[in-house]
Amino acid sequence: MTDEHHPLTDAPARKSLGQHFLFDPSILKRAANAAGSPKGRTVIEVGPGPGGLTRAILNEDPAKLIVVETDPRFSEALLGWPEAKSGQMIVIAKDARKVRWEQVLAEAGAARPAMIIANLPYNVGTPLLVDWLKAGDWRGEMALMFQREVAERICAKPDTDAYGRLAVLAQSVTRPYISFTLPPGAFRPPPKVDSAVAVFDPLPPEKRFQHIELLEQIAGAAFGQRRKMLRAALKPFAKKRGMKAELWLEDCGIDPTARAETLTQAEFRTLAESLA
């Protein structure tokens, strides 16, 4: 069936929902395949909007596409698509932050792990990513569009300005990298900044860090005051656990006078493991 049979929904983006839409078919095809081919896979898409990326994913013939859209203008239109009527596409009209993903996959009878491919609304991208990083075995590869600065923070290495909590979390369970960047003019309406598609390849199970909640708390405390030495930045966190930050850091083989941005993934893991 050709694209004429299911036109994209023509409705303006809503600023309150952080919407910026893509319509260029070559960019959309590239985004749909950035994390690997969706053919025969279960795919989750968040914030499909008018359906440009949705159409690009469906063109790759996934086994099942689950779209989550909080804006009724778009969720209702997507329900009229032939793939929704045939059951290949499931439309969930809900705020993605409230979706119970494992339950949705089970109810859909969908194969796992599911790929996640999304042009994320700017205002919910980071909290959704953190939730997905903490997810179980149901979550597979991800290709997510963010503001470029956010994508750079996710992929940053130690000792760089962009390195922080997001990099530590993302790199504890995935190998994130920037697939390609996009100028504001690629979107309608154009955002004020460049965007980038970040791809997340899951690490092999034995290399994934198990205590990601603890890692998040430690990285959050360490980078919360990034100009301070670790012994000062982690003092309140350690005190709540009845520890002295300086001794805890020394016990873990970490210099208490170091700063958070110099710590490697392995060192953050050591700190979290010492409490697990």
Side-chain angles (χ1 to χ4, degrees):
M1 196 174 265
T2 60
D3 287 1
E4 290 84 58
H5 292 270
H6 20 65
L8 303 186
T9 309
D10 189 23
R14 285 194 170 142
K15 208 172 179 179
S16 62
L17 296 174
Q19 292 171 334
H20 296 279
F21 302 138
L22 271 173
F23 294 98
D24 182 318
S26 64
I27 294 173
L28 291 163
K29 182 179 173 70
R30 205 173 161 194
N33 287 280
S37 171
K39 186 176 174 65
R41 297 284 302 274
T42 300
V43 179
I44 291 168
E45 184 194 2
V46 169
L53 184 54
T54 314
R55 170 59 32 223
I57 296 167
L58 287 168
N59 286 346
E60 303 300 324
D61 199 25
K64 189 83 71 179
L65 173 59
I66 298 165
V67 297
V68 179
E69 177 56 75
T70 192
D71 188 333
R73 299 174 302 164
F74 299 118
S75 57
E76 284 162 22
L78 288 163
L79 285 167
W81 285 26
E83 292 88 353
K85 291 172 177 163
S86 74
Q88 184 186 13
M89 177 168 79
I90 295 166
V91 181
I92 298 172
K94 198 171 188 178
D95 181 332
R97 288 168 295 184
K98 295 180 179 152
V99 173
R100 299 172 74 164
W101 301 103
E102 287 202 78
Q103 191 181 323
V104 164
L105 290 168
E107 285 168 5
R112 306 165 185 218
M115 297 180 88
I116 305 178
I117 304 171
N119 170 17
L120 290 172
Y122 278 177
N123 49 2
V124 296
T126 306
L128 281 174
L129 171 64
V130 171
D131 282 351
W132 290 332
L133 290 171
K134 293 177 186 173
D137 292 338
W138 66 263
R139 193 259 309 133
E141 307 91 323
M142 300 189 285
L144 307 176
M145 198 168 298
F146 296 98
Q147 289 166 295
R148 183 176 177 170
E149 183 200 341
V150 175
E152 286 171 347
R153 291 214 308 266
I154 291 161
C155 303
K157 296 285 176 261
D159 269 330
T160 62
D161 289 344
Y163 184 65
R165 179 184 73 106
L166 270 184
V168 173
L169 286 186
Q171 293 167 38
S172 70
V173 288
T174 69
R175 186 180 71 87
Y177 62 92
I178 291 175
S179 176
F180 61 98
T181 57
L182 288 166
F187 298 85
R188 292 217 303 261
K192 291 186 169 66
V193 293
D194 286 353
S195 301
V197 172
V199 171
F200 301 79
D201 288 334
L203 291 175
E206 70 278 6
K207 290 193 174 165
R208 277 177 227 163
F209 191 62
Q210 297 305 309
H211 312 291
I212 192 165
E213 300 273 356
L214 262 177
L215 195 70
E216 183 185 23
Q217 291 169 27
I218 292 166
F223 286 106
Q225 305 184 55
R226 55 191 303 153
R227 284 181 181 76
K228 288 191 173 178
M229 291 176 186
L230 281 169
R231 67 182 176 204
L234 289 172
K235 189 177 176 181
F237 175 88
K239 195 175 177 183
K240 271 189 199 154
R241 283 161 181 74
M243 305 185 301
K244 283 197 159 51
E246 187 147 0
L247 294 176
W248 172 41
L249 288 158
E250 283 172 354
D251 285 346
C252 291
I254 293 165
D255 178 1
T257 66
R259 286 181 168 76
E261 63 268 24
T262 66
L263 258 59
T264 62
Q265 170 74 218
E267 287 171 318
F268 273 111
R269 288 184 177 206
T270 299
L271 287 169
E273 277 167 345
S274 73
L275 302 182

